Amino acid sequence: MAYRQLQQSNRVAGAPTASRQIAPRVATGRRALHVAAVAEAEKTAATTRGGAASVPAPVDIANKLRYLFGRNGDYTNADAYHGTAWSVREKLIDSFNKTHEHWRKEDPKFIYYLSAEFLMGRSLTNTVYNLGLQGEYADALNQMGYEMEKVADAERDAALGNGGLGRLAACFLDSMATLDLPGWGYGIRYKYGMFKQALKNGYQIEQPDIWLTSGNPWEVRRDDVKFEVGFGGRVERRKVNGKEVTVWTPSEKVIAQAYDNPIPGFDTPTTSNLRLWDAMPLTEFDLGAFNAGDYDRAMLDRERAEAISAVLYPNDSTPEGKELRLKQQYFFVCASLQDVLSRFKAVHGTAFESLPDKACFQLNDTHPTIAVAELMRLLVDVEGLDWDQAWTITTKCLNYTNHTVMPEALEKWPVKVMAKMLPRHMEIIEVINEGWTRWLAGHLGDLKSEERAKRIAAMSIIHENPWNKEEMLVNMAYLAVVGSSAVNGVAAIHSNIVKDEILNDFYQIFPSKFQNKTNGVTPRRWLAWCNPELAALITDTLGTSEWINDTEKLAGLRAYASDKSFQAKWSAVKKAKKAKLAALIKKIHGDDVNQEALFDIQIKRIHEYKRQYLNVLSIIWRYKQLKKMSPEERRKAVPRVCVIGGKAASAYDMAKRIIRLVTAVGDVINRDPDTKDLLRLYFLPDYNVSLAETIIPAAELSQHISTAGTEASGTSNMKFQMNGCLIIGTWDGANIEIAEETGVDNVFVFGVRAEEINQLRKERKNFKTDPRWDELMRDIEGGMFGDKDYFKPLVDSVNNMKVGNDWFLLANDFAAYLEAQEEVDACYKDQAEWLRRSIMYTAGSGKFSSDRTIREYAEDIWHVKPSRPSA
Ligand code: 26V
């Protein structure tokens, strides 16, 4: 039997343990219970004492509370969480140390995943499950009068990411550790993560995410690991021993302080690492200034330094030009590369030609792309390699993943900003670009000189700002492509768009650089741990829990898809999860919802291209139809509870209006006595990883309705699929591959195809809108949901028939969408068919495990092999 399964026995899938069943739940009895449990456990401990590991969990939890927090007695769930987390942390660190001792001895090639975002969510549940300690800690808490689930609920999310890109990085770390791949994540330890979203009168307001206030048990501060990072200043050429060297003297320096976040693999002794950097001042205090009575000036350095790792940038509708963001990017890249090189040198000295055999870096989008110039700087200026040798090493070590087709999201930094903040890097980029364009000129030698010049200009890393001819820009995607061995998109269709459109010029030059790596999600967090009831049913049915790290085994469920008794069990699990979501809706909105209704969910960042607006329009249309129906007709209607959740970037005005439209429509629909039993619409505020863990298992229909060709992949679609939730979606991103794996007929696919988009945009002014669409526009404009003026720009953005308007083609897809929604209703009426499809979704989700994705990266791009410590 596999390593940790032995320890977990059959508890993996969340079967209740004996003690959990008998545990009293009365809060008032907790203290007595707690004291008794600890005393009992201490007796046992007396015979087994002999190291921290042998201390029984209840005693250990109590000890942590006593000695770390100075607490004694009647703890809240939050206290119990801290005690438990600090206890679990020790086992995690033991595993971390063992793994790294092993890797130090073996010296395997490492993959370093450089990412400005890691959206980790909560750690307690994941850690105890992955370490095989779930049963032990659930029992301990039970004996003390607590429930693991409630205790785990007290943890704050680590929300160091915006959305898909950051959560993908977190899933990848889980898979890398689970597959025993030597690899670390590197990023920034933001003091404030993704903002908290609250609603005030139906409008989004943003609040700071102060996530570190109660301490973070999942990190280890490494006081011995810090590096200097410089900014600004001047660059000089000097002769040293007859050789010309370049010396950069920064005008500002800060310290990057390492914090390690151990990442436990599942069913393996491997625990890898996410190293996050915190920015600190070089000197604690300018004592001179302080003594002179200038306290403000003394504090200035500290504030300036700390600002670098203070906040996560929420991705905006206009992401350009924020100097602090470039500073953040360079800060973490510089510290990470120095860290890797210093470990390399400790073992291999200056044999840098073998660096590509020991280390490779994945650039998660363009955010860490300054790594191209920084690795060159470290190798040439600091280590004294010649340029060509350094360039060979650099391009062998780096790889780049593109995550978006949105042109405005492709980072370009003004040369002026780059030259001021990173003067040496700007020089290096210029030299790279000179070499690149010179090489291109040779490569394109057969072309006529005019055509050649055009092609070269189009591929130059440094180019004019098309909106402002005065300004020159550094195109970070181009730098990443030129500086990398491999470039990949994140779903089949997206990788084709990268090759055929976004980076087509480069694809023509280097066809073999371009790859596809379809995204995946970790089946641990997104099925096994967030839906233990379904996991238990799957394990029972397949007779094994091996599907948790071999999701292809889920295909075995296909044999049961039409089995009535299996369908009944499948449906019972969904009902239980729906009850939980209903309880959450009740808690937030105070309403009881019909739990027999179809639970219809759209959760993701709010963006015009994701088309939450289209969803709302169809909900309004449904409402209007219901209003018109006779009581007899209403009895036949399929009741729905619609849920929309997601954050709008603070500066993204249109997205905020969309949120307000959702809440305004909800206010009308949910109170209408004619329809409220048949239709509800709720906006769930502050959508985040833990909320997703509650919502996704309860969902029956999920919406992935981006304009074809705009959503690079989507990853929540995979999470819904794993949890047996049907998809209504466009032929976009990973929806396509999901449909292929699930059976296209099982998915509600609608709308225009990516190939048609450009033409349709051009023809926009001739487009004849559907009369139902026109009616809805008049309704919103006319104030059916109040706030007429506020909604006006929303109506205008899609309703003027001119080129450039309705850029995301809501009107074009509207009729097809309503039709697909009718198919949904018809299918839901046939519960046997609905359940069959639901089972087919989970059965078809095998491909979308991030284990598969990571295996592909490891084999095709990283060339990294597993290295597992002994148990
Ligand atoms: C998007 C946009 C849209 C236009 C306005 C500015 C802006 C800035 C940033 C972004 C996000 C780009 C990176 C990103 O999060 N991409 C997401 O990556 C996921 C993981 O690969 C993928 O599943 C999502 O489809 C993709 O949007």
Side-chain angles (χ1 to χ4, degrees):
M1 193 187 267
Y3 166 68
R4 269 172 191 145
Q5 261 163 283
L6 268 177
Q7 302 180 353
Q8 275 178 242
S9 61
N10 287 327
R11 292 199 191 117
V12 181
T17 60
S19 53
R20 214 188 284 174
Q21 284 162 338
I22 56 161
R25 304 237 184 299
V26 210
T28 47
R30 248 187 204 174
R31 189 184 165 86
L33 198 63
H34 164 73
V35 173
V38 173
E40 186 56 39
E42 266 169 349
K43 266 194 265 160
T44 334
T47 57
T48 56
R49 193 157 286 160
S54 63
V55 178
V59 179
D60 201 36
I61 295 170
N63 279 346
K64 295 291 174 287
L65 283 163
R66 200 178 293 152
Y67 300 116
L68 286 175
F69 298 95
R71 306 290 298 272
N72 214 348
D74 208 2
Y75 312 122
T76 61
N77 277 323
D79 295 329
Y81 158 71
H82 285 288
T84 309
W86 283 89
S87 169
V88 170
R89 168 193 159 102
E90 290 180 7
K91 321 230 156 147
L92 186 61
I93 292 178
D94 282 341
S95 173
F96 173 96
N97 286 340
K98 243 185 161 169
T99 306
H100 287 82
E101 224 167 86
H102 171 76
W103 283 343
R104 247 192 307 279
K105 260 194 257 141
E106 297 287 311
D107 189 31
K109 181 175 179 182
F110 260 69
I111 158 68
Y112 298 106
Y113 200 80
L114 302 184
S115 178
E117 304 187 8
F118 287 93
L119 191 40
M120 303 300 283
R122 290 177 178 152
S123 285
L124 179 59
T125 305
N126 188 63
T127 307
V128 291
Y129 269 116
N130 275 19
L131 290 179
L133 299 169
Q134 157 66 13
E136 183 182 338
Y137 276 89
D139 286 352
L141 285 169
N142 249 316
Q143 285 164 36
M144 297 167 75
Y146 299 86
E147 273 174 73
M148 182 56 124
E149 204 178 311
K150 289 195 180 136
V151 168
D153 240 10
E155 180 174 358
R156 296 194 63 145
D157 275 36
L160 308 186
N162 271 283
L165 168 143
R167 182 55 230 177
L168 184 78
C171 284
F172 279 6
L173 293 179
D174 182 83
S175 285
M176 279 156 54
T178 298
L179 297 175
D180 302 308
L181 290 174
W184 281 13
Y186 269 116
I188 300 173
R189 181 180 180 270
Y190 300 105
K191 185 169 171 196
Y192 303 101
M194 188 60 202
F195 68 81
K196 283 180 81 69
Q197 177 194 54
L199 290 180
K200 197 171 174 192
N201 304 324
Y203 296 85
Q204 165 176 304
I205 51 173
E206 300 99 39
Q207 294 161 345
D209 168 41
I210 318 173
W211 71 291
L212 287 167
T213 34
S214 316
N216 177 8
W218 308 113
E219 68 182 9
V220 181
R221 186 185 151 110
R222 298 282 180 206
D223 279 311
D224 53 334
V225 184
K226 29 180 128 193
F227 294 94
E228 273 185 28
V229 179
F231 302 96
R234 56 176 200 280
V235 179
E236 292 160 297
R237 249 40 77 174
R238 284 190 203 145
K239 274 245 153 70
V240 176
N241 301 330
K243 198 179 163 195
E244 182 169 275
V245 295
T246 304
V247 181
W248 171 33
T249 315
S251 54
E252 182 190 353
K253 282 185 184 172
V254 300
I255 295 288
Q257 161 70 56
Y259 282 78
D260 285 347
N261 298 256
I263 307 291
F266 167 66
D267 198 18
T268 167
T270 298
T271 291
S272 72
N273 190 22
L274 166 60
R275 179 161 283 182
L276 299 178
W277 301 103
D278 180 44
M280 302 196 313
L282 199 57
T283 48
E284 257 314 287
F285 236 60
D286 180 348
L287 257 173
F290 189 58
N291 290 339
D294 193 350
Y295 182 77
D296 290 351
R297 223 189 75 209
M299 290 305 285
L300 218 64
D301 267 4
R302 160 166 296 276
E303 277 169 24
R304 232 178 116 80
E306 286 176 352
I308 296 175
S309 55
V311 272
L312 166 77
Y313 270 99
N315 50 17
D316 264 358
S317 43
T318 47
E320 295 136 66
K322 308 258 165 47
E323 273 184 48
L324 185 58
R325 189 170 158 92
L326 180 60
K327 225 170 170 182
Q328 290 186 333
Q329 296 180 348
Y330 178 62
F331 167 74
F332 93 89
V333 163
C334 172
S336 307
L337 291 183
Q338 288 188 70
D339 192 27
V340 170
L341 285 190
S342 81
R343 275 198 307 274
F344 176 85
K345 282 165 75 176
V347 179
H348 303 278
T350 54
F352 291 107
E353 66 283 358
S354 59
L355 184 66
D357 303 325
K358 290 294 165 192
C360 68
F361 300 89
Q362 192 67 35
L363 309 177
N364 196 26
D365 221 300
T366 51
H367 317 148
T369 297
I370 194 68
V372 178
E374 176 64 3
L375 190 51
M376 286 300 287
R377 183 186 74 86
L378 291 170
L379 293 176
V380 175
D381 296 358
V382 180
E383 302 297 343
L385 270 65
D386 54 12
W387 180 274
D388 290 346
Q389 200 188 357
W391 183 245
T392 305
I393 294 168
T394 297
T395 52
K396 273 192 190 170
C397 286
L398 300 179
N399 304 291
Y400 157 60
T401 306
N402 173 285
H403 290 270
T404 182
V405 304
M406 297 288 141
E408 62 270 46
L410 296 175
E411 288 183 302
K412 297 172 192 91
W413 290 104
V415 167
K416 264 204 184 125
V417 171
M418 183 84 80
K420 189 164 151 247
M421 185 184 301
L422 301 169
R424 177 54 182 151
H425 298 77
M426 193 58 240
E427 280 186 3
I428 290 173
I429 293 169
E430 275 161 4
V431 178
I432 292 173
N433 197 40
E434 273 163 32
W436 160 237
T437 47
R438 205 177 326 112
W439 180 89
L440 259 184
H443 184 80
L444 300 172
D446 296 342
L447 294 179
K448 288 214 188 77
S449 69
E450 206 176 298
E451 172 65 14
R452 184 162 28 137
K454 231 168 84 189
R455 295 274 306 271
I456 294 171
M459 280 187 275
S460 174
I461 296 165
I462 301 165
H463 57 72
E464 234 171 42
N465 179 349
W467 315 112
N468 171 10
K469 305 270 182 221
E470 309 287 285
E471 189 177 57
M472 295 302 283
L473 301 172
V474 182
N475 187 311
M476 300 308 270
Y478 294 180
L479 179 61
V481 175
V482 172
S484 290
S485 286
V487 177
N488 73 282
V490 290
I493 183 183
H494 172 241
S495 297
N496 286 332
I497 294 173
V498 169
K499 288 195 285 194
D500 301 341
E501 290 170 43
I502 310 174
L503 298 170
N504 179 258
D505 287 341
F506 293 86
Y507 172 62
Q508 288 183 36
I509 308 278
F510 308 117
S512 62
K513 251 193 204 191
F514 287 76
Q515 299 196 23
N516 173 54
K517 293 286 164 277
T518 298
N519 283 165
V521 302
T522 167
R524 270 74 65 186
R525 182 177 295 261
W526 296 112
L527 175 51
W529 313 158
C530 76
N531 199 346
E533 298 86 347
L534 196 65
L537 177 58
I538 295 170
T539 297
D540 263 7
T541 307
L542 298 178
T544 170
S545 60
E546 282 167 16
W547 58 270
I548 299 175
N549 35 20
D550 180 6
T551 46
E552 292 297 342
K553 289 211 157 70
L554 290 169
L557 294 173
R558 289 202 178 108
Y560 302 86
S562 302
D563 176 324
K564 289 281 162 286
S565 86
F566 183 67
Q567 284 189 349
K569 292 183 203 160
W570 192 262
S571 162
V573 171
K574 190 58 89 182
K575 287 216 163 82
K577 301 313 261 187
K578 284 170 76 178
K580 280 202 170 159
L581 179 54
L584 186 69
I585 293 173
K586 167 102 180 166
K587 193 168 145 205
I588 295 171
H589 290 279
D591 288 359
D592 289 301
V593 297
N594 175 3
Q595 294 183 25
E596 297 300 314
L598 192 174
F599 277 28
D600 163 350
I601 316 280
Q602 189 179 22
I603 41 173
K604 46 186 88 239
R605 286 301 289 262
I606 311 292
H607 200 289
E608 285 161 287
Y609 85 80
K610 296 180 190 273
R611 303 201 295 190
Q612 284 92 352
Y613 189 9
L614 183 61
N615 185 2
V616 180
L617 291 175
S618 99
I619 293 169
I620 303 175
W621 185 252
R622 175 175 294 270
Y623 169 64
K624 294 182 60 148
Q625 297 315 103
L626 287 169
K627 284 289 277 184
K628 279 193 224 148
M629 285 180 191
S630 65
E632 180 60 35
E633 285 168 321
R634 279 188 196 147
R635 262 193 295 280
K636 284 192 227 137
V638 174
R640 282 207 202 195
V641 172
C642 303
V643 169
I644 297 179
K647 294 177 185 179
S650 48
Y652 193 171
D653 181 68
M654 210 57 93
K656 289 184 155 176
R657 287 176 207 263
I658 293 172
I659 291 180
R660 177 60 191 135
L661 184 64
V662 176
T663 59
V665 172
D667 286 346
V668 171
I669 292 179
N670 300 344
R671 289 197 199 116
D672 191 325
D674 288 344
T675 58
K676 69 190 186 57
D677 293 335
L678 291 171
L679 183 62
R680 299 287 180 95
L681 170 59
Y682 293 102
F683 187 87
L684 290 190
D686 204 34
Y687 173 59
N688 60 12
V689 173
S690 357
L691 200 54
E693 290 168 18
T694 303
I695 295 175
I696 291 170
E700 292 174 294
L701 179 73
S702 71
Q703 305 221 21
H704 307 276
I705 58 176
S706 49
T707 314
T710 62
E711 186 71 274
S713 160
T715 43
S716 77
N717 43 8
M718 302 168 182
K719 298 164 193 168
F720 283 109
Q721 182 201 17
M722 279 183 182
N723 285 274
C725 169
L726 275 57
I727 286 175
I728 182 167
T730 43
W731 205 241
D732 197 19
N735 292 354
I736 299 172
E737 289 156 84
I738 290 174
E740 283 163 2
E741 298 293 311
T742 307
V744 179
D745 294 344
N746 294 325
V747 180
F748 305 101
V749 178
F750 72 95
V752 300
R753 302 290 156 120
E755 313 83 73
E756 304 171 70
I757 297 291
N758 284 339
Q759 191 55 29
L760 291 170
R761 278 181 178 155
K762 279 188 215 144
E763 291 166 3
R764 184 71 187 119
K765 62 175 178 300
N766 304 322
F767 182 72
K768 182 89 195 73
T769 48
D770 191 289
R772 295 169 293 182
W773 167 276
D774 299 337
E775 190 180 319
L776 292 174
M777 290 296 132
R778 283 195 300 273
D779 289 338
I780 300 172
E781 238 180 345
M784 184 170 174
F785 305 101
D787 258 358
K788 248 159 82 164
D789 296 342
Y790 190 67
F791 295 140
K792 178 102 179 20
L794 216 46
V795 172
D796 289 346
S797 74
V798 295
N799 208 33
N800 283 337
M801 293 305 118
K802 61 178 186 203
V803 174
N805 223 351
D806 192 14
W807 187 248
F808 297 107
L809 304 177
L810 279 70
N812 296 65
D813 279 346
F814 177 72
Y817 179 50
L818 290 190
E819 211 175 291
Q821 288 287 16
E822 276 167 26
E823 281 172 40
V824 170
D825 288 333
C827 185
Y828 199 72
K829 282 184 185 161
D830 180 356
Q831 274 296 299
E833 169 59 9
W834 187 274
L835 288 166
R836 185 194 66 79
R837 290 196 194 192
S838 167
I839 296 162
M840 291 298 280
Y841 273 68
T842 307
S845 67
K847 173 174 174 184
F848 304 102
S849 164
S850 44
D851 296 349
R852 187 267 314 147
T853 315
I854 287 299
R855 251 187 227 113
E856 290 180 8
Y857 274 98
E859 279 166 24
D860 305 338
I861 299 182
W862 302 337
H863 311 295
V864 170
K865 301 222 154 42
S867 173
R868 180 192 272 226
S870 55

